[in-house]
Amino acid sequence: MTPEEMRTRLRTHLGDRRFEHSLAVEREAVRLAEHYGEDPEKAAVAGLLHDCRKELSLEDALQIIRQSDIMTDIVFETQPGLIHGFAASVTLSEFGVSDPDIINAVRYHTVARAHMSRLEMIVFLADLTAEGRDYPDVEEMREAAMCSLEEGMRYALRYTMGMLIGKGRPICRETWEAYNYYFGLKK
């Protein structure tokens, strides 16, 4: 499927705001990929499709997951905003995507994980730093992402963990493991 065909199909799955966000993440993922010498075409596909299941209900997303071989953390049921990446990764074949690195980049874009590939880090960071993001630390996060992927991950994970802890929200296993890994507490 061509990139334009992917955009056309994606448009049927998302509302205007989410579709525009997906296009912004696609552009940011390409920019980061070019900056770090990674494949911009793979980054474009992963960035474009990262939220292709964002607007599913929690029940529908969980049904997709349950029909796959993905094991999920119970936290997903208390934080429905996390599960769409996992549901999307299972359904990327609808967009003609079978590349495992793209699939994993989409799967882990909401939670991160230890030992992420460079493409996975690029998509995770592109989602947080794309045009249109306006949270208080976004400029600092953008600077960290351009400094190095690992520095960007440390900044992003510190920010994410702080926000979740500050709100008294649970933190899924993958995010804890990513935090410990990127801060040098490797298992």
Side-chain angles (χ1 to χ4, degrees):
M1 186 175 290
T2 69
E4 195 52 45
E5 290 170 329
M6 287 180 191
R7 286 184 200 92
T8 299
R9 180 173 286 221
L10 180 64
R11 188 69 190 94
T12 67
H13 292 280
L14 301 176
D16 293 342
R17 194 174 128 256
R18 182 64 47 198
F19 182 70
E20 290 304 319
H21 167 70
S22 295
L23 295 176
V25 173
E26 175 186 15
R27 289 188 299 271
E28 184 64 11
V30 167
R31 187 175 83 82
L32 288 170
E34 289 172 345
H35 181 75
Y36 289 108
E38 293 298 313
D39 186 334
E41 290 178 17
K42 287 172 66 167
V45 170
L48 176 67
L49 299 178
H50 80 287
D51 274 354
C52 69
R53 298 295 179 244
K54 177 76 172 179
E55 295 182 356
L56 283 181
S57 69
L58 175 60
E59 296 77 27
D60 289 343
L62 286 171
Q63 184 174 351
I64 289 170
I65 299 301
R66 288 183 188 120
Q67 293 172 351
S68 74
D69 61 350
I70 296 174
M71 299 296 293
T72 61
D73 192 320
I74 192 67
V75 169
F76 288 127
E77 295 186 30
T78 63
Q79 290 185 321
L82 298 179
I83 199 160
H84 69 275
F86 287 79
S89 73
V90 173
T91 61
L92 286 178
S93 61
E94 293 177 24
F95 294 90
V97 175
S98 59
D99 183 302
D101 205 21
I102 294 172
I103 291 168
N104 283 331
V106 170
R107 179 172 292 168
Y108 295 105
H109 87 270
T110 61
V111 298
R113 69 174 176 160
H115 306 283
M116 291 176 87
S117 72
R118 291 171 67 81
L119 180 63
E120 289 174 64
M121 289 187 280
I122 284 167
V123 174
F124 182 81
L125 293 169
D127 188 30
L128 291 169
T129 61
E131 180 183 343
R133 294 295 196 189
D134 64 356
Y135 53 88
D137 284 3
V138 72
E139 288 305 323
E140 291 83 357
M141 181 116 33
R142 287 177 177 138
E143 289 176 21
M146 291 305 287
C147 179
S148 78
L149 290 172
E150 292 76 13
E151 185 59 32
M153 290 302 299
R154 284 190 289 274
Y155 196 97
L157 289 164
R158 187 172 41 247
Y159 176 84
T160 300
M161 296 282 279
M163 182 185 62
L164 291 170
I165 291 168
K167 291 180 178 182
R169 305 285 298 273
I171 299 168
C172 72
R173 176 181 37 84
E174 288 89 352
T175 306
W176 275 113
E177 289 173 355
Y179 181 89
N180 287 340
Y181 176 79
Y182 286 101
F183 281 92
L185 303 175
K186 302 176 193 174
K187 284 187 174 183

